[in-house]
């Protein structure tokens, strides 16, 4: 009997480990798994929220958990570096009007690593003025920007647990024990 492996076998120290085709299939599966894991690394790093930066919000019948936007900026800075260096955003404003109402729409395009690596725009809007208001809402532009930026950062996974509703269910909120993440 020869110690030389057959053409389709992988042999080490006289032991046949695997058929070549099986080895290649397993190697390919492993490489795919590692690629999927790498794709999720940023998301998984940004997804969990510190409970001290969350607050419950009621909007009429709607109730949800909100995340502090400055906390999101801090998390992005921790992950990518200072705003304008490792990550950043561009914003364009529109001021559509209809009848007796003026809106401010902030369209945010976010980038990471390099300014050419962008996604967006993602829009946020607020009412700047309508006929029943005594004066314009001077913070409407800032609020529209914050809304768009927060939503845009969620696309990177920033505080994904909030956007996935993990803090809005009485059985999972604030216990920190529910984590179905396979990584």
């Amino acid at each position: 009997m020869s110690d030389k492996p057959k053409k389709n076998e992988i042999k080490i120290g006289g032991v046949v480990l695997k058929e070549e085709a099986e080895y290649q299939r397993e190697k390919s599966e492993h490489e795919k798994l590692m690629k999927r894991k790498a794709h999720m690394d940023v998301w998984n790093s940004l997804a969990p929220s510190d409970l001290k930066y969350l607050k419950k919000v009621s909007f009429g019948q709607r109730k949800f958990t909100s995340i502090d936007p400055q906390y999101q900026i801090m998390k992005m800075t921790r992950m990518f570096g200072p705003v304008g260096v490792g990550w950043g955003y561009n914003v364009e404003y529109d001021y559509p009007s209809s009848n007796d109402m003026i809106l401010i729409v902030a369209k945010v395009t976010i980038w990471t690593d390099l300014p050419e690596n962008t996604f967006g725009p993602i829009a946020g809007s607020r009412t700047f003025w309508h006929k029943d208001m005594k004066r314009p809402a001077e913070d409407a532009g800032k609020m529209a920007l914050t809304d768009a930026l927060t939503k845009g950062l969620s696309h990177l996974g920033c505080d994904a647990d909030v956007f996935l509703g993990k803090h809005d269910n009485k059985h999972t909120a604030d216990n920190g024990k529910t984590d179905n993440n396979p990584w």
Side-chain angles (χ1 to χ4, degrees):
M1 185 180 266
S2 169
D3 275 349
K4 188 174 179 183
K6 294 178 187 170
K7 188 174 182 176
N8 62 346
E9 294 178 335
I10 296 175
K11 195 171 188 179
I12 297 179
V15 177
V16 175
L17 296 177
K18 298 182 188 246
E19 295 282 323
E20 178 68 21
E22 181 183 359
Y23 170 77
Q24 291 301 330
R25 185 188 56 75
E26 287 180 5
K27 180 180 174 188
S28 176
E29 288 300 314
H30 178 74
E31 288 170 352
K32 287 178 189 173
L33 177 67
M34 290 299 101
K35 194 171 191 177
R36 281 195 310 269
K37 182 189 177 307
H39 288 169
M40 292 301 294
D41 283 348
V42 169
W43 180 281
N44 291 336
S45 294
L46 293 171
S49 300
D50 186 331
L51 298 178
K52 69 183 174 188
Y53 296 105
L54 304 180
K55 68 179 179 180
K56 300 292 182 186
V57 177
S58 294
F59 243 23
Q61 296 285 10
R62 223 175 106 204
K63 294 180 181 179
F64 56 94
T65 302
S66 174
I67 185 74
D68 184 317
Q70 197 65 25
Y71 170 64
Q72 288 189 303
I73 292 170
M74 179 178 72
K75 286 177 79 170
M76 291 294 292
T77 299
R78 188 181 302 131
M79 174 65 66
F80 295 104
V83 174
V85 178
W87 77 283
Y89 58 92
N90 301 315
V91 62
E92 291 183 27
Y93 290 97
D94 285 330
Y95 305 90
S97 60
S98 175
N99 300 327
D100 294 325
M101 182 185 301
I102 302 172
L103 295 177
I104 295 181
V105 178
K107 294 187 266 182
V108 172
T109 300
I110 298 173
W111 60 270
T112 58
D113 299 324
L114 297 170
E116 300 83 39
N117 185 19
T118 66
F119 68 96
I122 295 164
S125 65
R126 288 295 185 269
T127 301
F128 176 66
W129 184 84
H130 64 79
K131 66 178 183 169
D132 297 330
M133 295 170 70
K134 295 186 189 309
R135 62 188 175 104
E138 35 189 67
D139 282 347
K142 178 181 69 114
M143 292 168 70
L145 169 61
T146 299
D147 182 43
L149 186 58
T150 294
K151 192 58 178 170
L153 295 178
S154 77
H155 291 221
L156 286 168
C158 197
D159 301 295
D161 59 349
V162 171
F163 295 97
L164 290 169
K166 289 186 175 183
H167 300 283
D168 294 330
N169 179 326
K170 68 179 181 177
H171 300 294
T172 59
D174 303 336
N175 71 4
K177 295 178 184 171
T178 302
D179 185 7
N180 296 324
N181 186 337
W183 309 111

